[in-house]
Amino acid sequence: MKRRKFLKNSSTLTAGMITAPLIASSGSPLKEFRTMNNASKSNIPIAICTWDFGNATAKAWEVLNSGGNSLDAVHQGVMVEEDNLDNQTVGNGGRPDRDGNVTLDACIMDKDANCGAVLALQNIANPISVARKVMEETPHVMLVGKGAEQFAYEQGFERTNLLTEKSKQEWEEWKKTSQYKPIINIENHDTIGMLAIDKNGDIAGACTTSGMAYKMAGRVGDSPIIGAGLFVDNEVGGATATGVGEEVVRTVGSFLIVELMRQGKSPQEACEEGVKRIIAKNKDKQDFQIGFIAINKNGETGAYCIHPGFTYRTYTQEGHVNNPSGSYLES
Ligand code: SD4
């Protein structure tokens, strides 16, 4: 069954089930939304992404500035990095798992809370496009491994060898010690998570990664998990994450940040609280990086991380900037 039809069939039930608890659980949300919606919209349209992926935000901006929607903007924006063979943390050319297989994770979410994801996808260069197909062409949200790959071929995607000579050589070198030790701020870029607001004021997000280098076969992090690596609520805002995915999953980080904004926190305050929740669960261990970025309905942005070094890109009418993120620790 096509997704749209499936949603139509279930919409009466879902609307009744979700509206009541939302309003009941968050104080006076209607008042808050009204305040946010009445504020200045000078920051719209806007595209933001984790790390210094300037070519990706430039692409997203091109889409937004020519009147395109936020879903197309984030989709086309993150694809720039999936296609960048020099980027060994996203898409084609990504570092493999410990068995030498490149396995990709990605998800996408639109203004109507439609979403799609692929997990541990092999041999397909643009996992974000497959995730969007899952969203638009199936009644499901996530497809994993062989099933995701099979679906991609059915949708016309080509089989591609994703292991570049450079990533292969590094993996051969790594095998000499075989120590799994995620590096903080690896080469100052990593997973790309992107959020955008279009000229209509609608928000969408996308997140795509090759995951932690030399992970166990079958390991999946936060990046393709809606609520963990990415979450968008068009009434409130969006958030996305980079870093050690296990820790983001444990706190459902992106959903948490959006809910904190719903309760009145700014994107900056919400990101800081998100990081602090992770720190609180890791009192004896801080040798890992997490970075969050967030945006609210007005186009205000925020970012926070554990260790200094994380940056995020913003593209608005005001300019195209790589911004340093505040950090919980000083080094
Ligand atoms: C993961 N969050 O697979 C991703 C990878 C990442 O910094 O962002 N690394 O856990």
Side-chain angles (χ1 to χ4, degrees):
M1 200 192 306
K2 295 255 168 149
R3 177 163 189 86
R4 221 166 270 130
K5 202 161 147 214
F6 177 82
L7 288 173
K8 212 186 260 167
N9 290 348
S10 59
S11 63
T12 328
L13 182 64
T14 323
M17 282 165 63
I18 289 181
T19 313
L22 260 187
I23 290 176
S25 67
S26 46
S28 56
L30 292 178
K31 192 168 149 227
E32 229 120 61
F33 296 154
R34 230 169 268 138
T35 317
M36 285 164 69
N37 289 334
N38 286 343
S40 143
K41 296 225 162 104
S42 60
N43 250 6
I44 293 171
I46 180 170
I48 74 172
C49 76
T50 53
W51 304 103
D52 188 13
F53 291 124
N55 292 338
T57 32
K59 182 71 203 175
W61 180 257
E62 196 184 302
V63 175
L64 296 170
N65 205 31
S66 58
N69 66 41
S70 51
L71 185 65
D72 288 337
V74 295
H75 179 184
Q76 290 186 38
V78 300
M79 261 176 70
V80 169
E81 287 308 320
E82 287 184 341
D83 290 336
N84 177 3
L85 291 183
D86 292 331
N87 181 346
Q88 292 177 280
T89 50
V90 178
N92 201 353
R95 291 190 180 84
D97 66 13
R98 66 186 188 187
D99 297 339
N101 296 310
V102 180
T103 68
L104 304 178
D105 299 332
C107 72
I108 193 159
M109 189 163 192
D110 76 6
K111 67 181 172 58
D112 297 315
N114 296 313
C115 42
V118 287
L119 291 68
L121 176 64
Q122 294 186 47
N123 303 313
I124 305 287
N126 289 117
I128 199 67
S129 300
V130 187
R132 184 161 176 180
K133 289 282 185 197
V134 172
M135 175 173 92
E136 292 178 340
E137 304 294 336
T138 82
H140 305 307
V141 167
M142 298 187 204
L143 290 181
V144 56
K146 285 282 166 227
E149 190 176 341
Q150 186 55 41
F151 170 70
Y153 297 139
E154 285 162 18
Q155 293 291 320
F157 289 82
E158 278 172 18
R159 186 185 168 92
T160 307
N161 174 18
L162 304 176
L163 187 63
T164 56
E165 203 45 46
K166 182 163 187 248
S167 288
K168 189 173 172 196
Q169 275 174 17
E170 284 183 11
W171 168 64
E172 302 279 3
E173 196 55 35
W174 171 82
K175 278 198 293 182
K176 292 180 185 161
T177 57
S178 294
Q179 266 188 354
Y180 179 71
K181 200 171 181 320
I183 299 164
I184 292 170
N185 299 336
I186 185 164
E187 296 152 18
N188 272 327
H189 64 73
D190 220 306
T191 295
I192 180 164
M194 182 179 281
L195 305 162
I197 308 181
D198 58 31
K199 287 181 177 172
N200 280 336
D202 289 323
I203 312 172
C207 188
T208 178
T209 189
S210 49
M212 305 305 289
Y214 319 129
K215 60 198 173 185
M216 288 175 69
R219 179 268 184 188
V220 171
D222 60 319
S223 304
I225 309 291
I226 295 295
L230 173 75
F231 195 70
V232 168
D233 183 325
N234 201 38
E235 288 186 322
V236 179
T240 186
T242 178
V244 177
E246 282 76 4
E247 298 301 332
V248 179
V249 170
R250 287 171 75 202
T251 51
V252 200
S254 294
F255 179 74
L256 170 66
I257 287 170
V258 172
E259 286 304 300
L260 290 167
M261 291 193 288
R262 186 195 301 280
Q263 289 162 22
K265 285 203 190 308
S266 68
Q268 183 58 36
E269 290 166 342
C271 287
E272 290 180 18
E273 177 64 21
V275 166
K276 283 175 193 159
R277 295 276 179 103
I278 290 173
I279 294 289
K281 295 211 161 38
N282 287 282
K283 294 212 170 60
D284 305 322
K285 181 176 158 264
Q286 293 176 343
D287 58 345
F288 62 94
Q289 177 69 305
I290 299 287
F292 285 116
I293 61 171
I295 194 167
N296 69 13
K297 193 71 180 160
N298 296 332
E300 292 161 349
T301 64
Y304 206 58
C305 59
I306 299 177
H307 293 268
F310 174 51
T311 66
Y312 67 108
R313 273 267 167 190
T314 49
Y315 207 140
T316 66
Q317 300 284 4
E318 305 292 308
H320 191 198
V321 183
N322 185 34
N323 313 276
S325 160
S327 60
Y328 181 82
L329 299 173
E330 280 175 10
S331 62

mmCIF file of all heavy atoms in Angstrom, residues 50 228 239-242 248 251 253-254 257 270-271 274-275 278 290-294 302-305 310 325:
data_model
loop_
_atom_site.group_PDB
_atom_site.id
_atom_site.type_symbol
_atom_site.label_atom_id
_atom_site.label_comp_id
_atom_site.label_asym_id
_atom_site.label_seq_id
_atom_site.Cartn_x
_atom_site.Cartn_y
_atom_site.Cartn_z
ATOM 1 N N THR A 50 25.000 20.191 10.753
ATOM 2 C CA THR A 50 26.106 19.855 11.637
ATOM 3 C C THR A 50 27.424 20.017 10.870
ATOM 4 O O THR A 50 27.501 19.747 9.677
ATOM 5 C CB THR A 50 26.002 18.396 12.111
ATOM 6 O OG1 THR A 50 25.877 17.543 10.955
ATOM 7 C CG2 THR A 50 24.803 18.181 13.023
ATOM 8 N N ALA A 228 15.893 10.125 17.744
ATOM 9 C CA ALA A 228 17.260 10.114 18.284
ATOM 10 C C ALA A 228 18.157 11.041 17.455
ATOM 11 O O ALA A 228 18.492 12.134 17.879
ATOM 12 C CB ALA A 228 17.789 8.690 18.325
ATOM 13 N N ALA A 239 15.529 19.175 15.490
ATOM 14 C CA ALA A 239 16.861 18.982 16.081
ATOM 15 C C ALA A 239 17.525 17.790 15.402
ATOM 16 O O ALA A 239 16.837 16.891 14.885
ATOM 17 C CB ALA A 239 16.745 18.741 17.585
ATOM 18 N N THR A 240 18.853 17.793 15.413
ATOM 19 C CA THR A 240 19.599 16.661 14.866
ATOM 20 C C THR A 240 20.937 16.540 15.590
ATOM 21 O O THR A 240 21.377 17.485 16.244
ATOM 22 C CB THR A 240 19.748 16.771 13.326
ATOM 23 O OG1 THR A 240 20.362 15.601 12.810
ATOM 24 C CG2 THR A 240 20.546 17.991 12.911
ATOM 25 N N ALA A 241 21.541 15.355 15.478
ATOM 26 C CA ALA A 241 22.698 15.046 16.333
ATOM 27 C C ALA A 241 23.867 14.484 15.536
ATOM 28 O O ALA A 241 23.698 13.911 14.461
ATOM 29 C CB ALA A 241 22.277 14.012 17.377
ATOM 30 N N THR A 242 25.046 14.624 16.113
ATOM 31 C CA THR A 242 26.241 13.947 15.622
ATOM 32 C C THR A 242 27.011 13.437 16.840
ATOM 33 O O THR A 242 26.841 13.956 17.941
ATOM 34 C CB THR A 242 27.117 14.888 14.770
ATOM 35 O OG1 THR A 242 28.288 14.208 14.341
ATOM 36 C CG2 THR A 242 27.525 16.132 15.534
ATOM 37 N N VAL A 248 23.123 9.087 22.214
ATOM 38 C CA VAL A 248 21.982 9.890 21.754
ATOM 39 C C VAL A 248 20.703 9.055 21.817
ATOM 40 O O VAL A 248 19.640 9.539 22.215
ATOM 41 C CB VAL A 248 22.226 10.417 20.319
ATOM 42 C CG1 VAL A 248 21.026 11.224 19.829
ATOM 43 C CG2 VAL A 248 23.483 11.269 20.270
ATOM 44 N N THR A 251 18.968 8.793 25.297
ATOM 45 C CA THR A 251 18.147 9.915 25.787
ATOM 46 C C THR A 251 17.130 10.375 24.732
ATOM 47 O O THR A 251 16.472 11.393 24.933
ATOM 48 C CB THR A 251 19.015 11.140 26.163
ATOM 49 O OG1 THR A 251 19.870 11.410 25.063
ATOM 50 C CG2 THR A 251 19.834 10.894 27.402
ATOM 51 N N GLY A 253 17.645 11.888 22.018
ATOM 52 C CA GLY A 253 18.113 13.267 22.081
ATOM 53 C C GLY A 253 17.358 14.293 21.250
ATOM 54 O O GLY A 253 17.013 15.368 21.760
ATOM 55 N N SER A 254 17.108 14.019 19.982
ATOM 56 C CA SER A 254 16.495 15.053 19.133
ATOM 57 C C SER A 254 15.042 15.287 19.516
ATOM 58 O O SER A 254 14.564 16.429 19.528
ATOM 59 C CB SER A 254 16.615 14.668 17.654
ATOM 60 O OG SER A 254 17.979 14.667 17.288
ATOM 61 N N ILE A 257 14.989 17.441 22.601
ATOM 62 C CA ILE A 257 15.271 18.867 22.348
ATOM 63 C C ILE A 257 14.044 19.574 21.772
ATOM 64 O O ILE A 257 13.700 20.689 22.172
ATOM 65 C CB ILE A 257 16.517 18.997 21.450
ATOM 66 C CG1 ILE A 257 17.754 18.652 22.282
ATOM 67 C CG2 ILE A 257 16.638 20.388 20.846
ATOM 68 C CD1 ILE A 257 19.026 18.493 21.514
ATOM 69 N N ALA A 270 17.688 24.428 24.791
ATOM 70 C CA ALA A 270 17.260 23.028 24.619
ATOM 71 C C ALA A 270 18.448 22.129 24.286
ATOM 72 O O ALA A 270 18.574 21.017 24.814
ATOM 73 C CB ALA A 270 16.188 22.948 23.534
ATOM 74 N N CYS A 271 19.360 22.614 23.416
ATOM 75 C CA CYS A 271 20.550 21.812 23.076
ATOM 76 C C CYS A 271 21.424 21.610 24.313
ATOM 77 O O CYS A 271 21.972 20.528 24.540
ATOM 78 C CB CYS A 271 21.363 22.496 21.980
ATOM 79 S SG CYS A 271 20.606 22.418 20.355
ATOM 80 N N GLY A 274 19.906 19.019 26.446
ATOM 81 C CA GLY A 274 20.089 17.701 25.824
ATOM 82 C C GLY A 274 21.455 17.117 26.145
ATOM 83 O O GLY A 274 21.586 15.945 26.509
ATOM 84 N N VAL A 275 22.503 17.938 26.019
ATOM 85 C CA VAL A 275 23.864 17.477 26.327
ATOM 86 C C VAL A 275 23.988 17.150 27.812
ATOM 87 O O VAL A 275 24.566 16.119 28.196
ATOM 88 C CB VAL A 275 24.911 18.540 25.901
ATOM 89 C CG1 VAL A 275 26.276 18.245 26.507
ATOM 90 C CG2 VAL A 275 25.009 18.603 24.379
ATOM 91 N N ILE A 278 22.790 13.787 28.789
ATOM 92 C CA ILE A 278 23.743 12.718 28.425
ATOM 93 C C ILE A 278 24.889 12.676 29.432
ATOM 94 O O ILE A 278 25.290 11.594 29.877
ATOM 95 C CB ILE A 278 24.248 12.925 26.981
ATOM 96 C CG1 ILE A 278 23.100 12.642 26.003
ATOM 97 C CG2 ILE A 278 25.453 12.041 26.681
ATOM 98 C CD1 ILE A 278 23.382 12.964 24.562
ATOM 99 N N ILE A 290 29.418 14.424 21.557
ATOM 100 C CA ILE A 290 28.040 14.535 21.062
ATOM 101 C C ILE A 290 27.866 15.993 20.666
ATOM 102 O O ILE A 290 28.277 16.890 21.404
ATOM 103 C CB ILE A 290 26.994 14.237 22.159
ATOM 104 C CG1 ILE A 290 27.122 12.822 22.722
ATOM 105 C CG2 ILE A 290 25.572 14.496 21.641
ATOM 106 C CD1 ILE A 290 26.666 11.722 21.811
ATOM 107 N N GLY A 291 27.247 16.244 19.546
ATOM 108 C CA GLY A 291 26.887 17.613 19.171
ATOM 109 C C GLY A 291 25.433 17.635 18.722
ATOM 110 O O GLY A 291 24.999 16.765 17.965
ATOM 111 N N PHE A 292 24.694 18.606 19.233
ATOM 112 C CA PHE A 292 23.301 18.792 18.796
ATOM 113 C C PHE A 292 23.173 20.148 18.115
ATOM 114 O O PHE A 292 23.804 21.131 18.543
ATOM 115 C CB PHE A 292 22.345 18.824 20.002
ATOM 116 C CG PHE A 292 22.073 17.497 20.642
ATOM 117 C CD1 PHE A 292 22.470 17.253 21.960
ATOM 118 C CD2 PHE A 292 21.399 16.489 19.953
ATOM 119 C CE1 PHE A 292 22.200 16.031 22.572
ATOM 120 C CE2 PHE A 292 21.134 15.267 20.567
ATOM 121 C CZ PHE A 292 21.529 15.041 21.880
ATOM 122 N N ILE A 293 22.319 20.226 17.096
ATOM 123 C CA ILE A 293 21.888 21.529 16.595
ATOM 124 C C ILE A 293 20.360 21.539 16.599
ATOM 125 O O ILE A 293 19.721 20.481 16.523
ATOM 126 C CB ILE A 293 22.417 21.854 15.176
ATOM 127 C CG1 ILE A 293 21.916 20.838 14.126
ATOM 128 C CG2 ILE A 293 23.922 21.928 15.179
ATOM 129 C CD1 ILE A 293 22.229 21.257 12.686
ATOM 130 N N ALA A 294 19.781 22.753 16.714
ATOM 131 C CA ALA A 294 18.319 22.849 16.730
ATOM 132 C C ALA A 294 17.886 24.162 16.102
ATOM 133 O O ALA A 294 18.662 25.131 16.011
ATOM 134 C CB ALA A 294 17.808 22.767 18.172
ATOM 135 N N GLY A 302 20.336 26.970 17.616
ATOM 136 C CA GLY A 302 21.165 26.710 18.783
ATOM 137 C C GLY A 302 22.037 25.501 18.520
ATOM 138 O O GLY A 302 21.749 24.702 17.614
ATOM 139 N N ALA A 303 23.101 25.373 19.284
ATOM 140 C CA ALA A 303 23.988 24.210 19.166
ATOM 141 C C ALA A 303 24.740 24.034 20.472
ATOM 142 O O ALA A 303 25.038 25.009 21.168
ATOM 143 C CB ALA A 303 24.987 24.412 18.030
ATOM 144 N N TYR A 304 25.057 22.789 20.790
ATOM 145 C CA TYR A 304 25.854 22.526 21.987
ATOM 146 C C TYR A 304 26.488 21.154 21.847
ATOM 147 O O TYR A 304 25.946 20.265 21.170
ATOM 148 C CB TYR A 304 24.971 22.563 23.243
ATOM 149 C CG TYR A 304 25.733 22.923 24.501
ATOM 150 C CD1 TYR A 304 26.428 24.110 24.605
ATOM 151 C CD2 TYR A 304 25.738 22.053 25.603
ATOM 152 C CE1 TYR A 304 27.121 24.446 25.764
ATOM 153 C CE2 TYR A 304 26.416 22.385 26.772
ATOM 154 C CZ TYR A 304 27.111 23.590 26.836
ATOM 155 O OH TYR A 304 27.782 23.923 27.985
ATOM 156 N N CYS A 305 27.658 21.004 22.469
ATOM 157 C CA CYS A 305 28.374 19.733 22.362
ATOM 158 C C CYS A 305 29.104 19.457 23.673
ATOM 159 O O CYS A 305 29.082 20.286 24.585
ATOM 160 C CB CYS A 305 29.366 19.790 21.201
ATOM 161 S SG CYS A 305 30.589 21.094 21.379
ATOM 162 N N PHE A 310 33.263 21.246 17.821
ATOM 163 C CA PHE A 310 32.089 21.051 16.969
ATOM 164 C C PHE A 310 31.657 22.399 16.395
ATOM 165 O O PHE A 310 31.655 23.413 17.100
ATOM 166 C CB PHE A 310 30.961 20.440 17.809
ATOM 167 C CG PHE A 310 29.649 20.317 17.086
ATOM 168 C CD1 PHE A 310 29.559 19.714 15.838
ATOM 169 C CD2 PHE A 310 28.478 20.803 17.662
ATOM 170 C CE1 PHE A 310 28.344 19.600 15.179
ATOM 171 C CE2 PHE A 310 27.251 20.688 17.021
ATOM 172 C CZ PHE A 310 27.195 20.089 15.772
ATOM 173 N N SER A 325 30.324 25.911 18.120
ATOM 174 C CA SER A 325 29.299 25.556 19.102
ATOM 175 C C SER A 325 29.868 25.704 20.508
ATOM 176 O O SER A 325 31.054 25.423 20.734
ATOM 177 C CB SER A 325 28.887 24.100 18.872
ATOM 178 O OG SER A 325 28.278 23.568 20.018
#
